[in-house]
Amino acid sequence: MKTLAIYSNKGGVGKTAAAVNLSYLAAQAGARTLICDLDPQSSATYYFRIKPKLKAKARGFTKVGRQIENSIKGTDYQNLDLLPADLSHRKLDITFDHLKRSKHRLEKILEPLQDEYDFIILDSPSTINLLAVNIINAVDYVFVPLIPTTLSVRTHAQLLAFCKKHHYNPRKIHPFFSMVDRRKKLHRELMASMSEEFQGVLQNPIPYSSVIERMGLAREPVAVFAPRSAAATAYGNLWAEITERVFLAGQ
Amino acid sequence: MDNLKFNLPHGYGVQQLVDELAGHYPVKKEEPLAEKLAFYDTFDWRLYQAGLMLSESAGELCLSQLATHQILQRQKITPLPVFVKDFPDSQLKEQLAPILEMRALLLLVEIQTHSTPYRILNQDEKTVAWLVFEEIKPAGGKEAAGQVWVKPVRGYPKELQQVANHLQIIGCSPAEKDAYLLALEAVGRQPGDYSAKLNIRLDPQLRADEATKVILRFLLNVMKRNEPYVKKDVDPEFLHDFRVAVRRTRSALSQIKNVFPAETTDRFKQDFARIGRLSNDLRDLDVYLLAEDTYRAMLPDILRNSITPLFNYLREKRAEARQKVVAGLNAPEYARVLHDWEAFLAEPPLDSPSAGNAALPIIQLAQDRIYKRYRRIVKSGRQILENTADEQLHALRIEGKKLRYLLEFFAGLFPADEIETLLKQLKRLQDNLGHFNDLCVQEQYLLNVVEELPLNGPSARKTLLAVGGLIGSLDQQRQRVKGEFAKTFTAFASASNRALFQKLFAPEKKEVAE
């Protein structure tokens, strides 16, 4: 069993698109996969045509157990389930802060699900607070989408500083390039320099693509409605790099 | 929730059904799937009894729940091993090992399935349930049977129930049997049609001679069913079950006294004793070889491999012993005994039987026999408590076995839970005595086998050391097991157990001839 988070402290960088598409690829390869939508905006939940609602007692993740499991929905795809988002996720931070072992709440929530799934993939909101601490504590790998811009370099440096402060192993963090426009010289240059500056940057970028934007209309992973698109290929390559390089290196 | 399966209403096509449902939900057809499936289980239906089924399709093994078809494990293994010990290490192996133990997997039936899935959607066009139309055809079978499955999507139980209700309103009837069970039926197999356990229903008022024949016919059937597999040497349990049936037959002939003419009883007792002896050597060798890993584990690391020549030698001996058994089972003598025995068991009851107990109601004879046997065991056991000699423990084990067989023959005449309690208590005692006896026999056997073990080469001395080490280890175990006898026996002879024996079996009046 492996737990992954797609995480960034910056918004609009392609987190949800990556979480949805990578989860789909994991499930298609035969792994029992659960995607957890932690974002109150509930985009991942929407992409799977599921209602953003948890069972009453599961809201706020204050209790572990049946209510969480009963909130899980099967998606339209084999091996792939989803724990829907909920409006209450807006206040997860505050809720966790009032509970014991507040930095490990999420870990505790996921624990009982570990036997049931080969992969648990978290789609997280853009935040760098107690929820971020919980996410990083709960997972084995953090995948961070980076848009090759100067601003992104800054935010990623912030994230690494944050990890240092909390004594997280920086090897947990795996950046990958997102929304890349190869026609832009700046993008190409920044990708090269960021690969040098930051450790473990994955080499298969996700392009900026109208196909990915169309996910909102199609409400399906790109590999389903545009299997031959460049975007579908890019997610495929990225997932292959993750399974072949990241997971194997971790063993 | 379970998968729900239905038969189509008579004369109804699947398209009609889908059209009907499409009036209420959006329905979307998916690509049909054709599959060839083979189903496996052991001869005594261990997987079925555990609520499981094992199927193979295109080299992939799939273990699933019998009731729900929920997949528990799947793994590509080609070719399929016969024994679980030959599986590659995996979760599948872990799950199967304690169920299958030493038994071989047998191919039960092969089928062709053709299934067409339909998605049932909600207003967001999200799949909330699946409708799968499945046509199956057993290999060699004539007709295809069709069924409709409603399969759940996690988190949508209400929608599932609605679809299932709709199908019933349309006129679909819930189907009792799935593809596997229908296919078994088509090839004339009934799940659970063999069990090593005795399961004999008797009318308490049935005449004793007739009732005894019911028991003996059951045992004859066990012999006949196992015999072909004993000859083919599929797994050691076939011989074991065969031998137990022979032993039970002999036990029934001598324990259920005076129900047949004495000369008949004597003749068949001798015949079955000979049949039993035929495979004594083979069974002993099977037991040693099954325990090979256990034996190795008893030895210190430095001698663990030195024992190999012993097991190689035992394997050679086993090949010889097996030939002897096959020859014996193929000999006209065996066929003649079985023929005569079958003819005797088929004879109608005599109007005025000469044997003293023949006309008694079986319940009366059963109570008498069991109670006497129980009292004798308690008496012998008490003597052993005062002065434990190995021979007496051995004798007590034989007595215990006789009681166990009696309880099993007549279990159907008494309340099931109470018989269960008694058998459990007795089993504990028998396990202790049986273990003790096995250890005695094994020590002696190893001592004897060393005399004939061909030893040469530089490692010969080490092999002798290893056998010695084994004997030492067995002897320690033997002392320990012996030490546990007192406690085990006291539990068996407890007041509550005695009260139960009295309640079920103590005689009200004496008129049973010895």
Side-chain angles (χ1 to χ4, degrees), chain A residues 48-51 69 72-76 81 116-117, chain B residues 74 119 121-122 124-127 130 153-156:
Chain A
F48 286 112
R49 303 163 187 265
I50 292 170
K51 295 202 166 55
E69 282 173 58
I72 294 175
K73 300 277 182 191
T75 68
D76 286 10
D81 290 348
E116 223 182 307
Y117 295 101
Chain B
R74 59 200 313 169
R119 292 172 185 270
L121 307 172
N122 66 9
D124 292 327
E125 297 194 28
K126 163 84 181 75
T127 312
W130 290 87
V153 173
R154 182 168 183 171
Y156 297 92

mmCIF file of all heavy atoms in Angstrom, chain A residues 48-51 69 72-76 81 116-117, chain B residues 74 119 121-122 124-127 130 153-156:
data_model
loop_
_atom_site.group_PDB
_atom_site.id
_atom_site.type_symbol
_atom_site.label_atom_id
_atom_site.label_comp_id
_atom_site.label_asym_id
_atom_site.label_seq_id
_atom_site.Cartn_x
_atom_site.Cartn_y
_atom_site.Cartn_z
ATOM 1 N N PHE A 48 -15.720 13.216 -11.350
ATOM 2 C CA PHE A 48 -16.222 11.834 -11.328
ATOM 3 C C PHE A 48 -17.748 11.771 -11.220
ATOM 4 O O PHE A 48 -18.310 10.718 -10.985
ATOM 5 C CB PHE A 48 -15.571 11.051 -10.187
ATOM 6 C CG PHE A 48 -14.142 10.691 -10.455
ATOM 7 C CD1 PHE A 48 -13.107 11.244 -9.728
ATOM 8 C CD2 PHE A 48 -13.821 9.788 -11.474
ATOM 9 C CE1 PHE A 48 -11.779 10.904 -9.985
ATOM 10 C CE2 PHE A 48 -12.501 9.442 -11.732
ATOM 11 C CZ PHE A 48 -11.472 10.014 -10.996
ATOM 12 N N ARG A 49 -18.403 12.938 -11.380
ATOM 13 C CA ARG A 49 -19.867 13.003 -11.378
ATOM 14 C C ARG A 49 -20.470 12.556 -10.047
ATOM 15 O O ARG A 49 -21.554 11.950 -10.011
ATOM 16 C CB ARG A 49 -20.462 12.120 -12.495
ATOM 17 C CG ARG A 49 -19.973 12.473 -13.871
ATOM 18 C CD ARG A 49 -20.247 11.346 -14.848
ATOM 19 N NE ARG A 49 -19.613 11.634 -16.125
ATOM 20 C CZ ARG A 49 -20.244 12.216 -17.152
ATOM 21 N NH1 ARG A 49 -21.515 12.538 -17.060
ATOM 22 N NH2 ARG A 49 -19.600 12.451 -18.269
ATOM 23 N N ILE A 50 -19.730 12.789 -8.978
ATOM 24 C CA ILE A 50 -20.214 12.345 -7.663
ATOM 25 C C ILE A 50 -20.593 13.569 -6.841
ATOM 26 O O ILE A 50 -20.004 14.638 -6.997
ATOM 27 C CB ILE A 50 -19.122 11.486 -6.978
ATOM 28 C CG1 ILE A 50 -18.969 10.167 -7.755
ATOM 29 C CG2 ILE A 50 -19.453 11.200 -5.520
ATOM 30 C CD1 ILE A 50 -17.791 9.327 -7.362
ATOM 31 N N LYS A 51 -21.593 13.419 -5.962
ATOM 32 C CA LYS A 51 -22.042 14.557 -5.157
ATOM 33 C C LYS A 51 -21.055 14.834 -4.028
ATOM 34 O O LYS A 51 -20.651 13.894 -3.336
ATOM 35 C CB LYS A 51 -23.422 14.272 -4.573
ATOM 36 C CG LYS A 51 -24.465 14.142 -5.655
ATOM 37 C CD LYS A 51 -25.875 14.381 -5.156
ATOM 38 C CE LYS A 51 -26.817 14.571 -6.324
ATOM 39 N NZ LYS A 51 -26.769 13.428 -7.302
ATOM 40 N N GLU A 69 -15.763 5.112 5.859
ATOM 41 C CA GLU A 69 -15.839 4.041 4.866
ATOM 42 C C GLU A 69 -17.160 4.069 4.115
ATOM 43 O O GLU A 69 -17.205 3.834 2.906
ATOM 44 C CB GLU A 69 -15.644 2.682 5.533
ATOM 45 C CG GLU A 69 -14.185 2.400 5.826
ATOM 46 C CD GLU A 69 -13.988 1.135 6.628
ATOM 47 O OE1 GLU A 69 -14.424 0.080 6.154
ATOM 48 O OE2 GLU A 69 -13.406 1.215 7.725
ATOM 49 N N ILE A 72 -17.431 6.464 1.093
ATOM 50 C CA ILE A 72 -16.686 6.197 -0.150
ATOM 51 C C ILE A 72 -17.639 5.782 -1.267
ATOM 52 O O ILE A 72 -18.574 5.019 -1.042
ATOM 53 C CB ILE A 72 -15.635 5.089 0.094
ATOM 54 C CG1 ILE A 72 -14.565 5.597 1.064
ATOM 55 C CG2 ILE A 72 -15.009 4.623 -1.213
ATOM 56 C CD1 ILE A 72 -13.551 4.554 1.462
ATOM 57 N N LYS A 73 -17.410 6.317 -2.469
ATOM 58 C CA LYS A 73 -18.253 5.988 -3.622
ATOM 59 C C LYS A 73 -17.413 5.305 -4.694
ATOM 60 O O LYS A 73 -16.259 5.702 -4.926
ATOM 61 C CB LYS A 73 -18.843 7.272 -4.230
ATOM 62 C CG LYS A 73 -19.704 8.078 -3.284
ATOM 63 C CD LYS A 73 -21.108 7.534 -3.227
ATOM 64 C CE LYS A 73 -21.967 8.374 -2.307
ATOM 65 N NZ LYS A 73 -23.263 7.730 -2.036
ATOM 66 N N GLY A 74 -18.009 4.346 -5.369
ATOM 67 C CA GLY A 74 -17.349 3.746 -6.527
ATOM 68 C C GLY A 74 -17.434 4.705 -7.700
ATOM 69 O O GLY A 74 -18.472 5.321 -7.913
ATOM 70 N N THR A 75 -16.343 4.860 -8.452
ATOM 71 C CA THR A 75 -16.415 5.692 -9.658
ATOM 72 C C THR A 75 -16.932 4.830 -10.811
ATOM 73 O O THR A 75 -17.268 3.669 -10.614
ATOM 74 C CB THR A 75 -15.035 6.243 -10.041
ATOM 75 O OG1 THR A 75 -14.227 5.133 -10.469
ATOM 76 C CG2 THR A 75 -14.367 6.937 -8.866
ATOM 77 N N ASP A 76 -16.932 5.375 -12.015
ATOM 78 C CA ASP A 76 -17.369 4.607 -13.179
ATOM 79 C C ASP A 76 -16.294 3.632 -13.661
ATOM 80 O O ASP A 76 -16.516 2.911 -14.614
ATOM 81 C CB ASP A 76 -17.729 5.560 -14.330
ATOM 82 C CG ASP A 76 -19.054 6.252 -14.064
ATOM 83 O OD1 ASP A 76 -19.571 6.125 -12.934
ATOM 84 O OD2 ASP A 76 -19.580 6.916 -14.983
ATOM 85 N N ASP A 81 -12.110 4.067 -6.471
ATOM 86 C CA ASP A 81 -13.129 4.645 -5.586
ATOM 87 C C ASP A 81 -12.740 6.074 -5.225
ATOM 88 O O ASP A 81 -11.582 6.475 -5.393
ATOM 89 C CB ASP A 81 -13.233 3.832 -4.287
ATOM 90 C CG ASP A 81 -13.849 2.459 -4.514
ATOM 91 O OD1 ASP A 81 -14.403 2.233 -5.609
ATOM 92 O OD2 ASP A 81 -13.768 1.626 -3.599
ATOM 93 N N GLU A 116 -7.551 -2.083 2.258
ATOM 94 C CA GLU A 116 -8.487 -2.212 1.151
ATOM 95 C C GLU A 116 -7.903 -1.725 -0.173
ATOM 96 O O GLU A 116 -8.397 -2.085 -1.231
ATOM 97 C CB GLU A 116 -9.723 -1.379 1.500
ATOM 98 C CG GLU A 116 -11.015 -2.062 1.168
ATOM 99 C CD GLU A 116 -12.186 -1.164 1.485
ATOM 100 O OE1 GLU A 116 -12.271 -0.666 2.632
ATOM 101 O OE2 GLU A 116 -12.991 -0.944 0.578
ATOM 102 N N TYR A 117 -6.895 -0.874 -0.094
ATOM 103 C CA TYR A 117 -6.387 -0.247 -1.323
ATOM 104 C C TYR A 117 -4.890 -0.436 -1.505
ATOM 105 O O TYR A 117 -4.142 -0.561 -0.539
ATOM 106 C CB TYR A 117 -6.709 1.260 -1.301
ATOM 107 C CG TYR A 117 -8.201 1.524 -1.336
ATOM 108 C CD1 TYR A 117 -8.889 1.847 -0.176
ATOM 109 C CD2 TYR A 117 -8.913 1.391 -2.524
ATOM 110 C CE1 TYR A 117 -10.260 2.051 -0.198
ATOM 111 C CE2 TYR A 117 -10.276 1.598 -2.555
ATOM 112 C CZ TYR A 117 -10.958 1.928 -1.392
ATOM 113 O OH TYR A 117 -12.308 2.120 -1.438
ATOM 114 N N ARG B 74 -6.364 -12.527 -7.075
ATOM 115 C CA ARG B 74 -6.164 -13.032 -8.438
ATOM 116 C C ARG B 74 -4.691 -13.009 -8.775
ATOM 117 O O ARG B 74 -3.945 -12.161 -8.321
ATOM 118 C CB ARG B 74 -7.018 -12.259 -9.443
ATOM 119 C CG ARG B 74 -6.767 -10.763 -9.505
ATOM 120 C CD ARG B 74 -7.926 -10.042 -10.129
ATOM 121 N NE ARG B 74 -8.354 -10.708 -11.347
ATOM 122 C CZ ARG B 74 -9.487 -10.409 -11.978
ATOM 123 N NH1 ARG B 74 -10.286 -9.478 -11.514
ATOM 124 N NH2 ARG B 74 -9.819 -11.027 -13.075
ATOM 125 N N ARG B 119 -24.521 -0.166 -18.149
ATOM 126 C CA ARG B 119 -24.435 0.756 -17.029
ATOM 127 C C ARG B 119 -25.808 1.348 -16.744
ATOM 128 O O ARG B 119 -26.506 1.745 -17.675
ATOM 129 C CB ARG B 119 -23.519 1.940 -17.363
ATOM 130 C CG ARG B 119 -22.072 1.619 -17.510
ATOM 131 C CD ARG B 119 -21.343 2.860 -18.027
ATOM 132 N NE ARG B 119 -19.938 2.566 -18.295
ATOM 133 C CZ ARG B 119 -18.967 2.699 -17.382
ATOM 134 N NH1 ARG B 119 -19.243 3.154 -16.171
ATOM 135 N NH2 ARG B 119 -17.725 2.394 -17.682
ATOM 136 N N LEU B 121 -27.376 4.605 -15.156
ATOM 137 C CA LEU B 121 -26.837 5.932 -14.832
ATOM 138 C C LEU B 121 -27.852 6.752 -14.035
ATOM 139 O O LEU B 121 -29.053 6.496 -14.089
ATOM 140 C CB LEU B 121 -26.499 6.673 -16.130
ATOM 141 C CG LEU B 121 -25.592 5.928 -17.117
ATOM 142 C CD1 LEU B 121 -25.493 6.689 -18.440
ATOM 143 C CD2 LEU B 121 -24.208 5.720 -16.529
ATOM 144 N N ASN B 122 -27.337 7.770 -13.322
ATOM 145 C CA ASN B 122 -28.252 8.723 -12.684
ATOM 146 C C ASN B 122 -28.311 9.997 -13.530
ATOM 147 O O ASN B 122 -27.799 10.038 -14.657
ATOM 148 C CB ASN B 122 -27.837 8.985 -11.233
ATOM 149 C CG ASN B 122 -26.486 9.710 -11.131
ATOM 150 O OD1 ASN B 122 -25.936 10.164 -12.141
ATOM 151 N ND2 ASN B 122 -25.962 9.802 -9.924
ATOM 152 N N ASP B 124 -26.703 12.698 -13.353
ATOM 153 C CA ASP B 124 -25.383 13.237 -13.712
ATOM 154 C C ASP B 124 -24.646 12.321 -14.687
ATOM 155 O O ASP B 124 -23.458 12.506 -14.936
ATOM 156 C CB ASP B 124 -24.524 13.392 -12.442
ATOM 157 C CG ASP B 124 -25.061 14.471 -11.525
ATOM 158 O OD1 ASP B 124 -25.612 15.451 -12.052
ATOM 159 O OD2 ASP B 124 -24.935 14.325 -10.295
ATOM 160 N N GLU B 125 -25.371 11.304 -15.175
ATOM 161 C CA GLU B 125 -24.768 10.266 -16.026
ATOM 162 C C GLU B 125 -23.635 9.546 -15.315
ATOM 163 O O GLU B 125 -22.649 9.122 -15.919
ATOM 164 C CB GLU B 125 -24.307 10.843 -17.365
ATOM 165 C CG GLU B 125 -25.505 11.382 -18.143
ATOM 166 C CD GLU B 125 -25.179 11.664 -19.593
ATOM 167 O OE1 GLU B 125 -24.290 11.000 -20.142
ATOM 168 O OE2 GLU B 125 -25.827 12.545 -20.176
ATOM 169 N N LYS B 126 -23.765 9.432 -14.027
ATOM 170 C CA LYS B 126 -22.823 8.658 -13.218
ATOM 171 C C LYS B 126 -23.360 7.238 -13.115
ATOM 172 O O LYS B 126 -24.568 7.042 -12.907
ATOM 173 C CB LYS B 126 -22.751 9.296 -11.818
ATOM 174 C CG LYS B 126 -22.162 8.428 -10.729
ATOM 175 C CD LYS B 126 -20.648 8.502 -10.727
ATOM 176 C CE LYS B 126 -20.026 7.626 -9.647
ATOM 177 N NZ LYS B 126 -20.041 6.206 -9.947
ATOM 178 N N THR B 127 -22.467 6.252 -13.245
ATOM 179 C CA THR B 127 -22.879 4.854 -13.104
ATOM 180 C C THR B 127 -23.224 4.588 -11.638
ATOM 181 O O THR B 127 -22.402 4.829 -10.761
ATOM 182 C CB THR B 127 -21.744 3.906 -13.533
ATOM 183 O OG1 THR B 127 -21.249 4.344 -14.787
ATOM 184 C CG2 THR B 127 -22.222 2.476 -13.622
ATOM 185 N N TRP B 130 -24.673 -1.777 -12.160
ATOM 186 C CA TRP B 130 -24.426 -2.486 -13.420
ATOM 187 C C TRP B 130 -25.474 -3.561 -13.594
ATOM 188 O O TRP B 130 -25.886 -4.208 -12.627
ATOM 189 C CB TRP B 130 -23.058 -3.166 -13.398
ATOM 190 C CG TRP B 130 -21.893 -2.259 -13.453
ATOM 191 C CD1 TRP B 130 -21.284 -1.655 -12.392
ATOM 192 C CD2 TRP B 130 -21.177 -1.857 -14.614
ATOM 193 N NE1 TRP B 130 -20.228 -0.909 -12.826
ATOM 194 C CE2 TRP B 130 -20.136 -1.007 -14.191
ATOM 195 C CE3 TRP B 130 -21.307 -2.129 -15.972
ATOM 196 C CZ2 TRP B 130 -19.231 -0.432 -15.070
ATOM 197 C CZ3 TRP B 130 -20.407 -1.567 -16.857
ATOM 198 C CH2 TRP B 130 -19.378 -0.712 -16.401
ATOM 199 N N VAL B 153 -22.418 -0.609 -7.337
ATOM 200 C CA VAL B 153 -21.304 0.333 -7.328
ATOM 201 C C VAL B 153 -21.241 0.826 -5.892
ATOM 202 O O VAL B 153 -22.282 1.173 -5.314
ATOM 203 C CB VAL B 153 -21.554 1.499 -8.305
ATOM 204 C CG1 VAL B 153 -20.456 2.558 -8.167
ATOM 205 C CG2 VAL B 153 -21.618 0.991 -9.734
ATOM 206 N N ARG B 154 -20.050 0.841 -5.330
ATOM 207 C CA ARG B 154 -19.917 1.197 -3.924
ATOM 208 C C ARG B 154 -20.543 2.564 -3.640
ATOM 209 O O ARG B 154 -20.342 3.527 -4.380
ATOM 210 C CB ARG B 154 -18.441 1.238 -3.551
ATOM 211 C CG ARG B 154 -18.229 1.559 -2.107
ATOM 212 C CD ARG B 154 -16.803 1.300 -1.706
ATOM 213 N NE ARG B 154 -16.666 1.555 -0.284
ATOM 214 C CZ ARG B 154 -15.605 1.260 0.420
ATOM 215 N NH1 ARG B 154 -14.592 0.677 -0.165
ATOM 216 N NH2 ARG B 154 -15.548 1.525 1.712
ATOM 217 N N GLY B 155 -21.311 2.617 -2.568
ATOM 218 C CA GLY B 155 -21.885 3.893 -2.152
ATOM 219 C C GLY B 155 -23.239 4.205 -2.761
ATOM 220 O O GLY B 155 -23.776 5.280 -2.527
ATOM 221 N N TYR B 156 -23.803 3.271 -3.554
ATOM 222 C CA TYR B 156 -25.115 3.534 -4.156
ATOM 223 C C TYR B 156 -26.107 2.400 -3.857
ATOM 224 O O TYR B 156 -26.675 1.800 -4.777
ATOM 225 C CB TYR B 156 -24.972 3.743 -5.675
ATOM 226 C CG TYR B 156 -24.142 4.957 -6.001
ATOM 227 C CD1 TYR B 156 -22.769 4.846 -6.188
ATOM 228 C CD2 TYR B 156 -24.734 6.215 -6.087
ATOM 229 C CE1 TYR B 156 -21.984 5.963 -6.460
ATOM 230 C CE2 TYR B 156 -23.959 7.337 -6.364
ATOM 231 C CZ TYR B 156 -22.589 7.203 -6.538
ATOM 232 O OH TYR B 156 -21.834 8.313 -6.797
#
